[in-house]
Amino acid sequence: MMGTTMEKKVRNKRLVILAVLIILLVGTFIYSVNAGFSKIPFLDVIKTLFGQGSAQDTLIISQFRLPRIVVAVLVGAGLAVSGAILQAVSQNGLADPGILGINNGAGLAVMLYISYFPSTLDVPVMFMPFVGFMGAIVIAAIVYGLSYSREEGLLPNRLVLTGVAVSAALAALMTLLTIRLDPENYQIVAEWLAGNIWASNWQYVFALLPWLLVLVTIGMFKVKTMDILGFGDQVATGLGVRTEREKLILLVVAVALAAACVSVSGGIAFIGLIGPHIARRLVGSGHRWVLPISALVGALLLLVADTIGRIIVQPSEIFAGIVVAVIGAPYFLYLLAKAK
């Protein structure tokens, strides 16, 4: 009886946290619609969202602000879920798509793609997540291979150190390659490197959405496997889990999620690190709750960062990746010191 009561309290607490995060996300979403150089009265924003606004308000909101906001929400959620899966696979709380070089691997592939195809055409836009995935999976395989020991399996500390080194090398290579780009593509790549939500039209939303729906669904089906992997490979194998096979599947899901998000958002780091950590503090370590809470926290963090970047130095803006880095870098150093 006591156990049932406690379980009920924990479940109710988690539901309250879920509801609060959804309310915060919706509130930030509505506020962000009016965050920008052109101010629109709140009532006019509501009217426009329900199809009753003026032609000018409709153009500003539906064609410029809404796609960017939706991309920020989707990317934040996807990166946070990717980070949660990577941390489960590696059993390392410092694992993150940006730190492990996955973001830069996807970015390098997308940069090369942009150099040869106009980014405004429908077909190239729809292919961008796939191109990013190809670049990211190659880098993930390199980092995984360099961090794997036949005797001890995947070494978590080596994984982080190898990822940081590979990520730095890729960043230097991308900077070098920008010299060969024409001015228009150079501007796109420069904004990508800084972490701008540059892909702010509905084509990019439709290109990203199917990837997130499929991959997050697969991740949710694997929550029990991730919980079991937390007990270590020997225990997981004893419980009938094919550890290497499941780790490979989860790794591919995490890499694909990060690559798809990065291909339309730019080089945004730390969301995949911070989101899962906050989620575990709020709802515990069970991945059935960690994944959806991570998604909401990640979406909220990136949307807040993008909104702050748009209002703090109007009419100019600070890219969301820079705002996130200002928050995330100290948090990463704190976690690193704590792990030590």
Side-chain angles (χ1 to χ4, degrees):
M1 187 76 175
M2 183 70 72
T4 305
T5 304
M6 286 297 294
E7 287 176 5
K8 241 180 154 179
K9 285 183 178 179
V10 171
R11 183 173 178 275
N12 289 339
K13 178 188 173 184
R14 288 170 172 171
L15 288 173
V16 169
I17 290 169
L18 183 69
V20 169
L21 287 172
I22 291 173
I23 291 170
L24 286 173
L25 183 60
V26 172
T28 307
F29 188 102
I30 293 172
Y31 177 81
S32 186
V33 171
N34 199 30
F37 184 66
S38 299
K39 294 294 183 184
I40 302 172
F42 180 75
L43 288 177
D44 290 345
V45 170
I46 300 299
K47 287 180 181 178
T48 303
L49 291 176
F50 284 95
Q52 303 297 320
S54 66
Q56 182 179 351
D57 291 347
T58 301
L59 177 65
I60 293 172
I61 291 174
S62 66
Q63 297 302 317
F64 294 104
R65 292 183 181 172
L66 271 183
R68 177 170 178 162
I69 292 169
V70 173
V71 166
V73 169
L74 294 177
V75 167
L79 288 176
V81 172
S82 175
I85 295 173
L86 284 174
Q87 289 170 18
V89 170
S90 65
Q91 292 303 300
N92 189 328
L94 299 178
D96 166 77
I99 295 168
L100 297 183
I102 293 170
N103 286 4
N104 282 348
L108 178 60
V110 171
M111 191 184 90
L112 293 173
Y113 187 65
I114 289 173
S115 300
Y116 291 100
F117 293 97
S119 60
T120 54
L121 296 180
D122 290 344
V123 173
V125 165
M126 297 304 292
F127 273 128
M128 280 176 64
F130 178 74
V131 172
F133 171 70
M134 296 304 294
I137 201 70
V138 170
I139 298 304
I142 292 171
V143 173
Y144 187 91
L146 293 173
S147 309
Y148 187 83
S149 168
R150 288 185 179 181
E151 294 78 21
E152 302 179 53
L154 185 65
L155 302 174
N157 290 335
R158 188 187 294 179
L159 181 73
V160 173
L161 293 173
T162 304
V164 169
V166 171
S167 182
L170 289 171
L173 179 59
M174 283 191 289
T175 303
L176 183 64
L177 289 175
T178 55
I179 300 172
R180 301 177 59 86
L181 296 176
D182 59 67
E184 182 180 351
N185 286 332
Y186 174 83
Q187 182 66 27
I188 293 174
V189 171
E191 291 185 9
W192 188 97
L193 290 170
N196 185 26
I197 308 291
W198 60 273
S200 52
N201 67 57
W202 291 110
Q203 293 177 6
Y204 293 94
V205 173
F206 298 138
L208 177 59
L209 191 58
W211 286 73
L212 262 65
L213 290 175
V214 172
L215 294 168
V216 172
T217 300
I218 294 172
M220 289 302 299
F221 273 112
K222 294 289 184 180
V223 291
K224 289 185 179 178
T225 300
M226 286 185 271
D227 288 341
I228 294 173
L229 288 174
F231 295 112
D233 288 356
Q234 290 185 347
V235 174
T237 302
L239 292 172
V241 175
R242 299 170 63 182
T243 54
E244 293 305 319
R245 175 178 174 272
E246 293 298 330
K247 282 184 177 181
L248 181 61
I249 292 172
L250 288 168
L251 183 64
V252 170
V253 170
V255 169
L257 265 175
C261 292
V262 165
S263 68
V264 300
S265 72
I268 295 173
F270 297 115
I271 293 290
L273 175 72
I274 300 173
H277 272 273
I278 294 176
R280 284 194 292 270
R281 284 177 177 271
L282 291 174
V283 296
S285 58
H287 286 87
R288 178 189 172 193
W289 285 94
V290 166
L291 258 61
I293 297 298
S294 293
L296 287 172
V297 171
L300 184 60
L301 280 172
L302 189 55
L303 183 56
V304 167
D306 186 52
T307 304
I308 290 173
R310 282 189 282 134
I311 65 176
I312 198 168
V313 288
Q314 292 181 5
S316 300
E317 66 177 64
I318 301 173
F319 297 153
I322 296 173
V323 179
V324 170
V326 169
I327 300 168
Y331 192 73
F332 174 71
L333 293 175
Y334 163 74
L335 292 176
L336 197 61
K338 190 177 178 182
K340 183 179 178 183

